[in-house]
């Protein structure tokens, strides 16, 4: 559980947007973030991923601007290397909005407000689920296609599956950030499905060409 009253650890990166349920592999090597990992492991195991805004390079070692909506995640597994660095898997838990950053550590921290999405009936998303099933019904997507086809045949909610698809298949970081920040579930799912309908055919074509090349 996420305590909305406590301060969360922030891990800002320039090209990573975490979504609820998605699992993100990370390699931690900077001293301030090695300390963040140690603190997280000692306490609640939670870290919030934040996206750095454009122009972050000049201020990276200071406090560059970050997007206000983050995803709080929990460490599901980790390995501490002999040199003190870490490899870990972080699973997204919930969207949140930064209310105020706080000082006191070498890494960044903030007080947050959890973003509660309105409860949406699966009936309201039945059309979007059908569209997703149609996308993954055809072959040529290999193990990935089978994985998502199985998910769509499971009891997992459509909104949760859409978040996983956005995390794994969309490439544009800013698009992913805007989807993370969208709290209207129906709007978010429809946007994700529309985007996938434009890119899945290209993924399918690329897979077909790779298969043809392997046969020649």
């Amino acid at each position: 559980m996420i305590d909305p009253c406590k301060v969360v650890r922030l891990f800002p990166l320039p090209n990573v947007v975490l979504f609820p349920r998605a699992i993100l592999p990370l390699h931690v090597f900077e001293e301030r973030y090695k300390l963040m990992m140690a603190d997280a492991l000692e306490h609640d195991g939670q870290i919030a991923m934040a996206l750095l805004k454009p122009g972050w390079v000049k201020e990276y070692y200071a406090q560059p601007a970050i997007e206000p909506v983050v995803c709080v995640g929990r460490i599901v597994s980790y390995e501490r290397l002999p040199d003190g660095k870490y490899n870990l898997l972080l699973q997204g838990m919930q969207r949140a909005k930064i209310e105020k950053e706080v000082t006191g550590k070498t890494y960044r921290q903030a007080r947050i407000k959890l973003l509660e999405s309105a409860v949406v009936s699966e009936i309201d998303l039945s059309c979007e689920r059908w569209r997703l099933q149609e996308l993954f019904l055809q072959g040529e997507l290999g193990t990935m296609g089978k994985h998502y086809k199985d998910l769509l045949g499971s009891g997992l909610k459509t909104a949760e599956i859409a978040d996983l698809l956005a995390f794994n298949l969309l490439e544009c970081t800013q698009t992913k950030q805007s989807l993370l920040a969208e709290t209207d579930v129906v709007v978010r799912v429809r946007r994700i499905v529309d985007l996938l309908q434009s890119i899945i055919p290209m993924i399918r074509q690329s897979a077909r060409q790779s298969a043809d090349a392997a046969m020649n």
Side-chain angles (χ1 to χ4, degrees), residues 51-180:
L51 180 67
L52 290 165
K53 289 186 176 182
W56 59 270
V57 177
K58 293 181 180 179
E59 299 183 74
Y60 180 70
Y61 293 101
Q63 194 162 323
I66 57 178
E67 295 288 345
V69 175
V70 301
C71 182
V72 182
R74 64 182 180 89
I75 299 167
V76 293
S77 67
Y78 74 94
E79 174 190 19
R80 189 176 188 275
L81 304 176
D83 57 4
K85 299 174 184 176
Y86 290 89
N87 291 324
L88 69 138
L89 294 177
L90 186 73
Q91 183 169 36
M93 297 169 65
Q94 190 167 345
R95 291 168 166 84
K97 186 173 183 178
I98 294 173
E99 293 202 314
K100 181 181 179 181
E101 288 201 48
V102 299
T103 58
K105 297 286 187 179
T106 56
Y107 56 86
R108 296 172 73 171
Q109 306 173 97
R111 295 194 182 278
I112 59 169
K113 176 183 179 182
L114 298 179
L115 297 178
E116 301 287 352
S117 297
V119 177
V120 175
S121 169
E122 281 298 297
I123 294 176
D124 294 329
L125 294 173
S126 58
C127 179
E128 283 65 38
R129 196 176 187 101
W130 178 83
R131 290 169 66 195
L132 288 174
Q133 289 169 333
E134 286 291 300
L135 279 176
F136 292 99
L137 186 63
Q138 301 178 47
E140 300 171 336
L141 292 176
T143 304
M144 177 196 73
K146 183 180 184 305
H147 172 68
Y148 290 118
K149 182 180 176 182
D150 290 345
L151 278 183
L152 288 160
S154 72
L156 198 62
K157 293 180 179 179
T158 303
E160 295 172 334
I161 297 173
D163 276 350
L164 290 171
L165 288 166
F167 173 77
N168 287 292
L169 298 183
L170 300 183
E171 294 185 357
C172 176
T173 304
Q174 291 301 322
T175 297
K176 292 167 85 167
Q177 179 64 36
S178 70
L179 290 166
L180 181 71

